[in-house]
Amino acid sequence: MEEFDYQLVADAPESARITFYKKTYLHVVLAILAFVVVESLFILTIPSSVIELMFSGKFVWLFILGLFWLASTMANRFVMAESRNTQYLGLGIYVLLEAIIFLPMIYVAVAVTESANVLMQAALFTMFLFAGLTYLAFTSTKDFSFLRSVMIVGGFVSLGLIVVGAIFGFELGLWFSLAMILLAGGSILYNTQKMKDEYHTEQYVGAALQLFASIMLMYWYVLRILSRRN
């Protein structure tokens, strides 16, 4: 079992910091590629009747959200473990969960509306937003730690609205999607700055998971808006 070198990124030599950032963003890219591969396999192999079941009943969707919350909590613990294999297991679990959550929306875009180009549009828009926010986090002297409270409160409020909407059958509109994109943007700013202040140089898998989660949250709601437009 590998053990962490308990040295904060902020206190590490410049070469160690650069290596940490390179490994972190490499793992973010690998997680996204793994998501694409797994999602593609799901679309090709899972019967359409099973996928349609995921958005045909409100309680089925609530069960999936509950399962996602429990398993993502476990994944977050795994990626901070001292065992490198356990860290990768946590990241792999989270990628799999994201692929399951995205399956109905991707299925509708590809198989039903036949507008797969919207997936690329949403991906490009999300990529540019992520790049701009990352640049801001690295170059700004502003302390973004206050965003942690915003993310916690916003997360509980949004989860409550999603659950209530699923139970009572009302649609969460454009403004909710825009608010969630802002929340995801705040998460990217906070987690990017957090990397140097709270992470150790060997915790790049955990840092990658946090950034990947924020990217996928943003991508979900960007895709949701663009899918409505088309």
Side-chain angles (χ1 to χ4, degrees), residues 144-177:
F144 294 111
S145 59
F146 71 94
L147 290 173
R148 182 176 184 274
S149 298
V150 176
M151 289 160 48
I152 292 174
V153 174
F156 277 109
V157 171
S158 60
L159 181 60
L161 289 173
I162 292 171
V163 171
V164 172
I167 293 175
F168 294 101
F170 65 82
E171 185 73 14
L172 297 172
L174 174 64
W175 289 108
F176 179 79
S177 295

Side-chain angles (χ1 to χ4, degrees), residues 5 29 43 48 69 75 90 96 117 122 127 136 138 140 142 158 164 190 192 204 219 229:
D5 174 12
V29 172
I43 292 293
S48 59
W69 179 79
L96 179 63
N117 60 322
M127 180 188 70
L136 177 62
F138 275 110
S140 175
K142 186 175 180 58
S158 60
V164 172
Y190 171 76
T192 301
Y204 48 84
Y219 180 61
R229 185 197 67 182

Side-chain angles (χ1 to χ4, degrees), residues 9-117:
V9 174
D11 299 330
E14 183 178 0
S15 59
R17 292 200 304 271
I18 293 174
T19 299
F20 169 81
Y21 291 132
K22 284 182 177 179
K23 288 183 177 179
T24 296
Y25 287 102
L26 173 61
H27 281 76
V28 171
V29 172
L30 292 176
I32 293 173
L33 292 176
F35 167 82
V36 172
V37 171
V38 173
E39 195 69 70
S40 300
L41 291 175
F42 281 170
I43 292 293
L44 292 173
T45 58
I46 296 179
S48 59
S49 58
V50 175
I51 301 176
E52 290 168 0
L53 179 64
M54 294 178 65
F55 51 89
S56 62
K58 56 187 178 183
F59 295 109
V60 173
W61 186 239
L62 287 177
F63 171 77
I64 292 173
L65 286 178
L67 181 65
F68 175 80
W69 179 79
L70 289 173
S72 62
T73 301
M74 180 179 65
N76 274 281
R77 291 185 178 181
F78 280 177
V79 294
M80 304 309 292
E82 293 189 7
S83 168
R84 189 71 67 204
N85 291 335
T86 304
Q87 293 178 37
Y88 282 115
L89 176 62
L91 184 58
I93 289 174
Y94 200 88
V95 170
L96 179 63
L97 290 171
E98 288 287 0
I100 294 172
I101 293 294
F102 270 83
L103 185 56
M105 186 179 290
I106 301 294
Y107 170 76
V108 169
V110 175
V112 178
T113 63
E114 297 183 352
S115 58
N117 60 322

